[in-house]
Amino acid sequence: MEHTTSLTQFIIEEQRRIPGATGDFTSLLNDVLTSCKKIACAVNRGPLIGLQGSADTENVQGETQKKLDIITNDIMVQSLEWTGHLAGMASEEMEELLPIPEAYPKGKYLILFDPLDGSSNIDINVSVGTIFSILRAPEGCENPTLEDFLQPGTEQVCAGYTIYGPTTMMVFTSGHGVNGFTLDRNIGEFVLTHPNLTIPEDTEEFAINMSNQRFWEAPVKRYIDECLAGSEGPRGKDFNMRWVAAMVAEVHRILMRGGIFMYPMDEKMRARGLTGKLRLMYEANPMSFIVEQAGGASSTGRERIMEIAPQGLHQRVPVILGSKNEVERVVSYHAEA
Ligand code: AFP
């Protein structure tokens, strides 16, 4: 039988390379992957067990929640709160941070997650995902405050996502490159299938919601106009476009074959008092960590996302990430403007 490396084996071997590692982080990551397996089951069986459609409630972002938004959030909380590896949790679906209940031991890590990214795709059977970011809690801290969570992306210990698509895959980084694992349902394990993922520096593929075109700022308009002009324009080559409406799927495609993803600032958001569409702590920071570890770049157009000092748990930021040379080009257009 062909030898495969399971995600559990992979992280235990990584742990052995770190002198003094206690195994706490390894166990936490194992708990995260167990919750993602449970979410994969719920997502897969959704229409068979009445889990599709709206829950008719709103989250803190004012967005209507799907039934699966609530159920996947519960799965994450229930799978992680009792394990003793966490000091606290925060979720895109919950207004306040969630302390670990008194009944359970406290650990040294904090986790932030978007339990079901791209949930508008659920009812049409298109890819969705779970995104997570792990931070260290301050030394000896049992009851973390909001300030303890508001660490810049550069402080992340680990970031990852699970994509529930034709196959279920988990991709993560703990600061030593990016690796992808595919769920083998026959053995119930994530198996290493995509070692050392790297993003090509150049690309001919962009992802942006074109319906917002008339609201974009000048640098983004310029960049996309030049892509659309194709081989007759200043770029001298034709570009392709994709838009899945689930950041997990966009980032996954970029890790597989390069590309640039943008959810930039626009006039419509500004008029509504918003500072961007995507959430810094649950989407932008973890995805930026992964993309940078794979050799790509990530920016708001004006600053590196991972260096932003967070102001709130649900803060939104513009996001431009992917193939390095393209991201740098968009950043230079912002600087010129
Ligand atoms: P949901 O998780 O609320 O469905 O939002 C998905 C998302 O935050 C991100 O994953 C997509 O890239 C983006 O929104 C899609 O936004 P549009 O609906 O404006 O295309």
Side-chain angles (χ1 to χ4, degrees), residues 60-61 88-99 110-114 133 135 144-152 275 277-286 308-317:
V60 54
Q61 328 273 342
M89 297 184 229
S91 163
E92 192 194 293
E93 297 300 330
M94 301 186 295
E95 184 156 7
E96 308 287 345
L97 60 91
L98 191 72
L110 305 172
I111 192 165
L112 300 102
F113 52 82
D114 177 356
S133 164
L135 298 166
T145 61
L146 176 61
E147 282 62 42
D148 296 329
F149 278 83
L150 299 182
Q151 305 179 31
T275 51
K277 158 89 181 177
L278 303 177
R279 295 69 167 184
L280 174 63
M281 306 299 284
Y282 312 107
E283 296 172 313
N285 267 342
I308 295 173
Q311 305 293 311
L313 272 184
H314 298 285
Q315 181 176 350
R316 295 172 187 255
V317 289

Side-chain angles (χ1 to χ4, degrees), residues 59 61 63-64 66 69 92-93 114 116-121 128-129 131 208-212 243-250 261-263 268-269 277-279 283 316:
N59 66 9
Q61 328 273 342
E63 298 157 341
T64 308
K66 300 277 181 193
D69 280 321
E92 192 194 293
E93 297 300 330
D114 177 356
L116 199 65
D117 173 64
S119 55
S120 67
N121 283 351
V128 289
I131 311 173
I208 193 164
N209 184 339
M210 287 292 293
S211 70
N212 295 322
W243 189 248
V244 190
M247 190 188 193
V248 165
E250 319 281 5
F261 166 84
M262 300 201 265
Y263 217 120
K268 194 170 61 170
M269 292 174 199
K277 158 89 181 177
L278 303 177
R279 295 69 167 184
E283 296 172 313
R316 295 172 187 255

Side-chain angles (χ1 to χ4, degrees), residues 106-240:
K106 314 289 180 297
K108 56 185 181 206
Y109 294 103
L110 305 172
I111 192 165
L112 300 102
F113 52 82
D114 177 356
L116 199 65
D117 173 64
S119 55
S120 67
N121 283 351
I122 269 292
D123 294 345
I124 54 169
N125 200 11
V126 173
S127 295
V128 289
T130 300
I131 311 173
F132 61 91
S133 164
I134 297 174
L135 298 166
R136 220 168 252 114
E139 192 75 32
C141 159
E142 292 220 333
N143 293 303
T145 61
L146 176 61
E147 282 62 42
D148 296 329
F149 278 83
L150 299 182
Q151 305 179 31
T154 48
E155 295 298 312
Q156 291 172 104
V157 176
C158 174
Y161 64 80
T162 304
I163 179 166
Y164 313 105
T167 62
T168 293
M169 279 189 71
M170 181 178 274
V171 173
F172 82 96
T173 182
S174 51
H176 310 284
V178 182
N179 292 283
F181 302 80
T182 304
L183 181 60
D184 182 340
R185 288 177 192 274
N186 291 331
I187 55 170
E189 289 259 33
F190 281 97
V191 170
L192 180 63
T193 47
H194 296 70
N196 301 319
L197 288 165
T198 50
I199 300 174
E201 291 192 344
D202 294 298
T203 183
E204 286 87 45
E205 194 161 74
F206 65 87
I208 193 164
N209 184 339
M210 287 292 293
S211 70
N212 295 322
Q213 189 174 25
R214 68 188 189 283
F215 304 111
W216 294 338
E217 296 177 326
V220 172
K221 274 192 182 138
R222 174 181 169 193
Y223 175 76
I224 297 295
D225 283 350
E226 288 180 3
C227 292
L228 294 175
S231 51
E232 287 110 64
R235 302 299 308 274
K237 58 181 183 178
D238 291 334
F239 279 77
N240 189 20

Side-chain angles (χ1 to χ4, degrees), residues 69-106:
D69 280 321
I70 297 174
I71 287 163
T72 54
N73 192 64
D74 290 350
I75 291 175
M76 290 295 282
V77 171
Q78 286 160 13
S79 310
L80 297 174
E81 65 182 359
W82 60 272
T83 61
H85 304 302
L86 288 171
M89 297 184 229
S91 163
E92 192 194 293
E93 297 300 330
M94 301 186 295
E95 184 156 7
E96 308 287 345
L97 60 91
L98 191 72
I100 300 301
E102 280 306 316
Y104 302 126
K106 314 289 180 297

